[in-house]
Amino acid sequence: MLGNFTYHNPTKLYFGEGALQNLAEELKNYQTVQLIYGGGSVKKNGIYDSVMKILKDSGKTVVEDGGVMPNPTTDKLNEGVEIARKHNVDLLLAVGGGSVCDYAKAVSVSVFCEEDPWEKYYIRFEEPTCKIVPVGCVLTMVGTGSEMNAGAVITNHAQKLKIGHVFGSKVMPKFTVLDPTFTYTVPKRQMVAGIYDAFNHICEQYFSGTDDNVSDYLSEALMKSLIVNSRAALKDPQNYQARSNIMWAATWALNTLIAQGKDTDWEVHMLGQAVGAYTDATHGMTLSAVSLPYYKHILPYGLQKFKRFAIEVWGVTPAGTDEEIALKGLKALEDWMGELGVAKNLTELGVTEDMIEGIADATLVMDGGYKVLSRPEIVSILKESL
Ligand code: NZQ
Ligand code: ZN
């Protein structure tokens, strides 16, 4: 049975080739723009120049804030907050992937916050009580869904923690430009990590509950679309149909729609984030490395959903025992992960046995999935993932 919910997603999307032309209209409400970007890809592929031209033609004052690293850190967050305060910016414009967009959101709730944002939002999980600086996004890398949600994941290297806070809808970007051609220059390793990330977001919301609800049917459609289009994008990264479908599916995978009215899991992400805190590895790869041992472990507790996943998503013939069918679904998932070329284990990401206890300490335990993991279960899943 669907639980009660209130659904509100205020992010305005401009989708398609040439969608950046809508930026000028959005800028009308703002004067001083903090232009946020990553390590330089936007300068190489020309997106920076296109954005800067629109900013200059619109007469905006631009304050640059580049160098946002994948898995943005507390140190960088503090730097961004200082820039915003010093120049009294009224728009944070993120031009990049999930890291850049997450960082902009974390800055947005911290500029007028007198407390330490890490302690307030990531340790105590409090909601912002201060003024929030608006965020806009020009997405250049697909996967996280950050472009249409209120999540912001920050890494604290000193504390060896990587934590996501899902804020309220006021923190969602006011607008996002989604031009699939902007993703053509994403390196293959990042493209497949992003595709697996989006796929796993759907799994996290699908592998929970035993009721019949709309979300699970929507999830199956999104997963099938990602599988088909990932294969096309691997063959030809400049296949517009494939890249645009992947972009749109990834946005829907985590704009909170498919989570409404049902339980969700998110344990693969908790394991992956803990791995990220120890290795700084690419987010999607941390998920792929732990997924199969985790799903095999919880399969007996959610057998009917794993069977449905096998049949509806992977087209497994419903013959044999429920467990045999369910395992064939996981085998199909494993084969597809092989096609993508995502990380198969934690060793590839630099995890060694002596890190396992620490990673287990950093893993948050969720209670919305098929099994609430005990500490020995977490350790055993991590060991199996090596
Ligand atoms: O830094 P630059 O030079 O821009 O290069 C980036 C970066 O190295 C590159 N890239 C991005 N667009 C490109 C490009 N290279 C060439 N051409 C382009 N068009 O790709 C690399 C990875 O970028 P990043 O933003 O780090 O990737 P992603 O979008 O996967 O974001 C990962 C971050 O998002 C968090 C992750 O934990 C991680 O910190 N997540 C955020 C979520 C959310 N807000 O809801 C949910 C996710 O589960 C995830 O946890
Ligand atoms: Zn993710």
Side-chain angles (χ1 to χ4, degrees), residues 117-138:
W118 171 258
E119 289 293 327
K120 181 176 171 69
Y121 300 127
Y122 294 93
I123 298 297
R124 300 200 303 273
F125 283 101
E126 288 172 15
E127 287 310 306
T129 44
C130 58
K131 185 177 148 191
I132 297 165
V133 182
V135 170
C137 170
V138 175

Side-chain angles (χ1 to χ4, degrees), residues 18 26 42 47 69 93 107 111 125-126 140 166-167 183-184 211 224 266 275 279 291 308-309 365 374 382:
E26 287 297 333
V42 291
I47 298 171
M69 61 294 286
L93 183 60
V107 172
V111 178
F125 283 101
E126 288 172 15
T140 67
V166 182
F167 295 96
T183 68
Y184 286 170
D211 56 332
K224 284 198 267 193
W266 294 107
V275 169
T279 60
S291 286
R308 176 172 164 174
F309 175 69
V365 178
S374 65
L382 288 169

Side-chain angles (χ1 to χ4, degrees), residues 143-145 153 193-194 196-198 200-201 204 254 266 269 273 283-284 286-287:
T144 64
V153 183
Y196 189 74
D197 185 23
N200 190 258
H201 292 157
E204 300 275 32
L254 196 48
W266 294 107
H269 269 67
Q273 279 175 200
H283 170 65
T286 65
L287 307 176

Side-chain angles (χ1 to χ4, degrees), residues 209-232:
T210 52
D211 56 332
D212 184 78
N213 66 66
V214 178
S215 291
D216 290 338
Y217 299 96
L218 291 172
S219 293
E220 285 159 1
L222 289 170
M223 286 191 272
K224 284 198 267 193
S225 162
L226 278 175
I227 295 160
V228 169
N229 287 289
S230 67
R231 287 177 172 144

Side-chain angles (χ1 to χ4, degrees), residues 98-164:
S99 294
V100 171
C101 193
D102 276 19
Y103 165 83
K105 285 183 256 179
V107 172
S108 82
V109 292
S110 305
V111 178
F112 292 96
C113 172
E114 282 168 13
E115 293 161 80
D116 173 28
W118 171 258
E119 289 293 327
K120 181 176 171 69
Y121 300 127
Y122 294 93
I123 298 297
R124 300 200 303 273
F125 283 101
E126 288 172 15
E127 287 310 306
T129 44
C130 58
K131 185 177 148 191
I132 297 165
V133 182
V135 170
C137 170
V138 175
L139 195 72
T140 67
M141 144 100 206
V142 164
T144 64
S146 186
E147 66 275 12
M148 202 184 183
N149 71 34
V153 183
I154 295 293
T155 299
N156 184 322
H157 285 304
Q159 293 181 17
K160 282 202 159 37
L161 288 172
K162 180 179 183 185
I163 296 180

Side-chain angles (χ1 to χ4, degrees), residues 101-343:
C101 193
D102 276 19
Y103 165 83
K105 285 183 256 179
V107 172
S108 82
V109 292
S110 305
V111 178
F112 292 96
C113 172
E114 282 168 13
E115 293 161 80
D116 173 28
W118 171 258
E119 289 293 327
K120 181 176 171 69
Y121 300 127
Y122 294 93
I123 298 297
R124 300 200 303 273
F125 283 101
E126 288 172 15
E127 287 310 306
T129 44
C130 58
K131 185 177 148 191
I132 297 165
V133 182
V135 170
C137 170
V138 175
L139 195 72
T140 67
M141 144 100 206
V142 164
T144 64
S146 186
E147 66 275 12
M148 202 184 183
N149 71 34
V153 183
I154 295 293
T155 299
N156 184 322
H157 285 304
Q159 293 181 17
K160 282 202 159 37
L161 288 172
K162 180 179 183 185
I163 296 180
H165 186 132
V166 182
F167 295 96
S169 59
K170 283 187 190 152
V171 183
M172 292 180 181
K174 299 290 170 229
F175 63 87
T176 285
V177 172
L178 292 170
D179 182 336
T181 66
F182 285 4
T183 68
Y184 286 170
T185 55
V186 173
K188 184 191 165 223
R189 189 182 149 78
Q190 290 295 340
M191 178 185 85
V192 297
I195 292 170
Y196 189 74
D197 185 23
F199 189 89
N200 190 258
H201 292 157
I202 307 168
C203 293
E204 300 275 32
Q205 296 162 96
Y206 182 76
F207 288 120
S208 50
T210 52
D211 56 332
D212 184 78
N213 66 66
V214 178
S215 291
D216 290 338
Y217 299 96
L218 291 172
S219 293
E220 285 159 1
L222 289 170
M223 286 191 272
K224 284 198 267 193
S225 162
L226 278 175
I227 295 160
V228 169
N229 287 289
S230 67
R231 287 177 172 144
L234 279 173
K235 250 191 224 137
D236 175 13
Q238 305 224 346
N239 178 331
Y240 183 83
Q241 177 168 293
R243 297 309 283 264
S244 56
N245 278 326
I246 292 167
M247 190 173 230
W248 194 215
T251 300
W252 282 102
L254 196 48
N255 68 1
T256 73
L257 176 89
I258 59 169
Q260 300 306 324
K262 79 183 293 280
D263 287 332
T264 54
D265 183 0
W266 294 107
E267 197 57 49
V268 170
H269 269 67
M270 295 307 107
L271 290 158
Q273 279 175 200
V275 169
Y278 273 72
T279 60
D280 209 25
T282 298
H283 170 65
M285 300 299 185
T286 65
L287 307 176
S288 64
V290 299
S291 286
L292 289 166
Y294 174 70
Y295 288 133
K296 281 180 188 156
H297 185 81
I298 63 162
L299 183 139
Y301 306 94
L303 185 57
Q304 289 311 313
K305 187 58 80 59
F306 280 96
K307 179 184 170 189
R308 176 172 164 174
F309 175 69
I311 296 167
E312 300 299 334
V313 178
W314 298 103
V316 169
T317 310
T321 65
D322 288 354
E323 195 188 353
E324 282 164 358
I325 297 166
L327 283 170
K328 280 184 190 159
L330 289 188
K331 177 71 176 71
L333 172 63
E334 185 175 2
D335 291 346
W336 177 61
M337 286 161 73
E339 285 177 55
L340 291 177
V342 288

